[in-house]
């Protein structure tokens, strides 16, 4: 039977990028559909009635929601090419722990930065950088979080790299000076087509952020 | 150190998840209480979970795993030959992970709006949101005896510990979860018939008196 794989997504979403990278790593043919979050499609609302967010993977008509969940699902259905989670239970546990850290700490702090300004924003930026340093320490000389090859944590984390330029311009600092090893890791990931094609241009993301902050009435 | 150690706190729904999973798999372990209400964390906790400094932490042959759902999945992987908590098919697994993640995203925070506030807007919002979330979960349960189907599974383990905090929510918020979500309470009772659950869950009234009221005083949530 022919596999039908559709990804509902938006170009700027780091969560969507995770799914894009995993699909590309595994060479899975799929249809990519761009959603307008200001005018959500009937399909999106039907496939993700609970959260109404992207990304949503629709595999042979059945939806899988939540980006990390999608990545794990792809890894289980297409295990042979580019396995993302290790087979050893302890290492799997560690990978899940760090993917959860990326979600609940890194991405969460990163997101809140855009909704604030002044002292509050400065303090959130510091928190964000603190979490990046924790991750950098976990990398600990490895090429990737997955070891010799990119793995689950790499896929979960690297999308935020497309937003680094926006953070640097807004906050007037450089990530290189705070976490050079993490920046080097991100650039290493960007050598992979699966990553460089999934991430939008940093300048485009920065323009998006400027519009977002205008819409939120912050600037 | 024993082969399997669980650093935990008696009243934590997150700790209870690990307790249930270990019991389901018949794993013998040493339970170590962290006395969180004293404000002091043991060196062992700080050493085994330096990132979050929180319980539960499972230590298996000296190697630590943190975050309750990560722990439950680890227990599932490490003792894979008995009492599977996740279905074998990838789609079923993704559904289980989705709903456990839903529980994680909603229940604790919505419950906290109720117990950590006086009667008012925030508490009312918490009550409304919690009931909405529980009704969605009831919908997902449908006619099945458990979220896992015929026996308890990952979502059952993720959710049922919060039952021990329902009495506190209801008493402080002056409402009845049973009245709004009777099918969910029936599901709780079915879960409690399993020893793995009844031995892992603590008395809801003890949670109210010895934990929630104490926390309210400690943090000035009155």
């Amino acid at each position: 039977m022919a596999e039908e794989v559709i990804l509902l997504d938006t170009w700027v979403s780091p969560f969507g990028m995770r799914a894009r990278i995993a699909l590309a790593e595994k060479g899975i043919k799929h249809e990519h559909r761009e959603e307008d979050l200001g005018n959500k499609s009937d399909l999106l609302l039907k496939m993700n009635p609970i959260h109404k967010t992207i990304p949503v993977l629709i595999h042979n008509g059945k939806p899988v929601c939540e980006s990390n969940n999608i990545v794990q699902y792809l890894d289980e259905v297409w295990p042979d090419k580019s396995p993302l989670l290790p087979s050893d239970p302890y290492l799997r546990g560690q990978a899940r722990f760090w993917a959860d850290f990326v979600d609940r700490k890194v991405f969460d702090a990163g997101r809140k930065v855009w909704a604030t300004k002044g002292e509050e924003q400065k303090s959130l930026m510091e928190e964000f950088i603190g979490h990046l340093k924790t991750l950098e320490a976990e990398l600990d000389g490895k090429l990737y979080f997955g070891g010799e090859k990119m793995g689950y944590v790499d896929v979960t984390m690297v999308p935020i790299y497309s937003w680094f330029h926006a953070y640097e311009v807004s906050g007037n600092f450089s990530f290189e000076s705070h976490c050079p090893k993490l920046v080097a890791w991100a650039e290493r990931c960007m050598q992979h087509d699966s990553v460089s094609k999934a991430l939008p241009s940093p300048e485009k993301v920065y323009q998006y952020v400027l519009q977002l902050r205008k819409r939120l009435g912050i600037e | 150190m024993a082969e399997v150690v669980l650093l935990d706190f008696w009243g934590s729904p997150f700790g209870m998840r690990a307790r249930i999973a270990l019991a389901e798999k018949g794993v013998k372990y040493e339970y170590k209480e962290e006395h969180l209400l004293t404000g002091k964390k043991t060196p062992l906790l700080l050493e085994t979970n330096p990132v979050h400094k929180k319980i539960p932490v499972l230590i298996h042959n000296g190697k630590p795993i943190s975050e309750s759902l990560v722990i439950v999945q680890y227990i599932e992987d490490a003792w894979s030959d008995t009492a599977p908590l996740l279905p074998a098919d990838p789609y079923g697994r993704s559904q289980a992970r989705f709903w456990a993640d839903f529980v994680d995203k909603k229940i604790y925070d919505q419950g906290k709006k109720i117990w950590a506030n006086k009667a008012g807007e925030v508490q009312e919002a918490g009550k409304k949101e919690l009931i909405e979330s529980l009704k969605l979960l009831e919908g997902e349960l449908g006619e099945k005896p458990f979220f896992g189907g015929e026996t308890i599974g990952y979502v059952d383990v993720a959710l049922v510990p919060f039952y021990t905090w329902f009495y506190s929510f209801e008493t402080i918020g002056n409402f009845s979860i049973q009245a709004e979500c009777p099918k969910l309470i029936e599901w709780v009772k079915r879960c409690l018939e399993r020893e793995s659950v009844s031995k892992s869950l603590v008395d809801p009234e003890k949670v109210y008196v010895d934990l929630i009221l104490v926390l309210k005083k400690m943090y000035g949530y009155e």
Side-chain angles (χ1 to χ4, degrees):
Chain A
M1 182 177 86
E3 301 275 14
E4 187 199 53
V5 180
I6 299 171
L7 181 70
L8 304 183
D9 195 2
T10 59
W11 67 271
V12 74
S13 163
F15 303 99
M17 288 174 222
R18 290 169 174 173
R20 276 175 247 165
I21 297 169
L23 285 161
E25 275 290 305
K26 291 179 180 279
I28 299 166
K29 281 196 174 59
H30 64 282
E31 183 192 336
H32 184 272
R33 288 194 198 173
E34 186 73 14
E35 281 283 330
D36 171 5
L37 295 184
N39 184 21
K40 295 176 183 181
S41 70
D42 288 341
L43 183 63
L44 172 57
L45 297 175
K46 182 175 153 201
M47 291 286 140
N48 191 359
I50 304 289
H51 299 306
K52 305 178 177 57
T53 53
I54 57 88
V56 179
L57 185 87
I58 310 172
H59 184 201
N60 294 331
K62 298 203 290 192
V64 182
C65 307
E66 292 303 297
S67 61
N68 282 350
N69 194 15
I70 291 172
V71 173
Q72 288 182 78
Y73 175 78
L74 292 171
D75 205 39
E76 288 181 7
V77 177
W78 286 274
D80 300 325
K81 189 144 183 243
S82 270
L84 296 172
L85 274 153
S87 46
D88 168 72
Y90 185 73
L91 294 175
R92 286 166 83 82
Q94 289 299 98
R96 289 189 176 119
F97 173 86
W98 286 105
D100 173 77
F101 179 86
V102 169
D103 255 357
R104 281 191 311 116
K105 297 290 184 184
V106 178
F107 275 39
D108 195 61
R111 191 176 42 84
K112 285 177 179 153
V113 164
W114 301 120
T116 53
K117 60 181 181 195
E119 279 309 305
E120 200 190 342
Q121 190 188 48
K122 192 157 170 269
S123 148
L124 281 165
M125 274 294 227
E126 277 167 18
E127 198 187 306
F128 181 54
I129 292 170
H131 294 321
L132 294 180
K133 286 183 164 163
T134 303
L135 263 180
E136 198 182 42
E138 170 57 20
L139 190 58
D140 190 33
K142 297 195 296 285
L143 285 177
Y144 303 99
F145 290 97
E148 295 294 308
K149 295 195 177 148
M150 289 201 305
Y152 183 51
V153 181
D154 302 275
V155 173
T156 298
M157 178 60 190
V158 78
I160 199 97
Y161 182 65
S162 63
W163 285 60
F164 271 18
H165 171 66
Y167 285 115
E168 287 177 332
V169 174
S170 302
N172 192 28
F173 72 103
S174 108
F175 282 110
E176 180 86 41
S177 62
H178 291 279
C179 34
K181 292 185 174 159
L182 197 70
V183 173
W185 157 81
E187 286 167 0
R188 207 174 295 128
C189 291
M190 287 290 282
Q191 300 296 313
H192 298 249
D193 268 356
S194 60
V195 177
S196 61
K197 291 193 170 156
L199 268 52
S201 93
E203 186 53 41
K204 236 182 129 185
V205 173
Y206 177 57
Q207 293 303 323
Y208 169 84
V209 165
L210 289 178
Q211 290 305 312
L212 174 68
R213 281 170 71 77
K214 256 195 198 116
R215 266 202 325 269
L216 291 175
I218 295 175
E219 309 210 340
Chain B
M1 196 191 269
E3 190 184 310
V4 183
V5 175
L6 181 68
L7 302 186
D8 199 353
F9 172 71
W10 64 270
S12 162
F14 305 100
M16 287 176 223
R17 290 169 167 175
R19 282 174 238 168
I20 298 170
L22 287 164
E24 278 290 310
K25 302 275 185 181
V27 175
K28 281 195 173 51
Y29 66 97
E30 183 189 346
Y31 178 97
K32 279 190 196 259
E33 184 76 22
E34 282 286 319
H35 301 286
L36 296 183
L37 293 176
T38 64
K40 286 208 174 83
K41 296 182 179 182
T42 64
L44 184 61
L45 174 58
L46 298 175
E47 186 193 305
T48 52
N49 190 1
V51 175
H52 299 304
K53 306 177 176 57
K54 286 181 172 175
I55 58 90
V57 182
L58 185 78
I59 312 171
H60 186 196
N61 292 325
K63 299 202 289 191
I65 301 268
S66 310
E67 289 305 301
S68 61
L69 290 182
V70 175
I71 290 172
V72 173
Q73 288 183 80
Y74 173 77
I75 292 167
E76 172 77 348
D77 286 345
W79 288 278
S80 55
D81 48 358
T82 157
L85 296 170
L86 282 154
D89 75 293
Y91 191 74
R93 294 162 78 85
S94 76
Q95 287 296 97
R97 285 193 300 258
F98 175 86
W99 284 104
D101 174 73
F102 177 86
V103 172
D104 255 7
K105 280 185 158 77
K106 306 285 184 186
I107 308 300
Y108 183 82
D109 288 343
Q110 290 167 350
K112 188 165 181 189
K113 283 186 183 175
I114 302 170
W115 69 260
N117 288 288
K118 288 202 287 269
E121 249 182 69
V122 177
Q123 195 186 75
E124 280 310 301
K127 282 156 71 174
K128 183 168 175 280
E129 290 164 12
L130 180 69
I131 294 298
E132 251 168 46
S133 300
L134 294 178
K135 282 191 164 155
L136 283 169
L137 283 160
E138 242 185 2
E140 170 57 19
L141 181 65
E143 298 306 312
K144 302 193 296 289
F146 302 99
F147 288 93
E150 294 301 309
T151 57
I152 72 167
Y154 187 57
V155 181
D156 304 274
V157 173
L159 179 61
V160 79
F162 287 98
Y163 170 71
T164 59
W165 286 44
F166 281 7
Y167 176 76
S168 301
F169 301 156
E170 290 169 315
T171 307
I172 294 167
N174 191 26
F175 71 120
S176 160
I177 293 173
Q178 162 103 43
E180 302 275 359
C181 311
K183 287 196 158 167
L184 202 70
I185 301 301
E186 277 166 30
W187 159 79
V188 171
K189 299 208 158 93
R190 278 195 294 277
C191 290
L192 285 167
E193 285 170 9
R194 290 187 76 78
E195 214 176 67
S196 63
V197 177
S198 61
K199 292 211 160 145
S200 303
L201 265 49
V202 295
D203 173 29
E205 280 191 47
K206 183 172 158 69
V207 168
Y208 177 62
V209 174
D210 292 338
L211 179 55
I212 302 298
L213 289 183
V214 173
L215 287 174
K216 278 172 80 73
K217 235 192 201 121
M218 256 171 76
Y219 292 109
Y221 296 146
E222 311 191 287

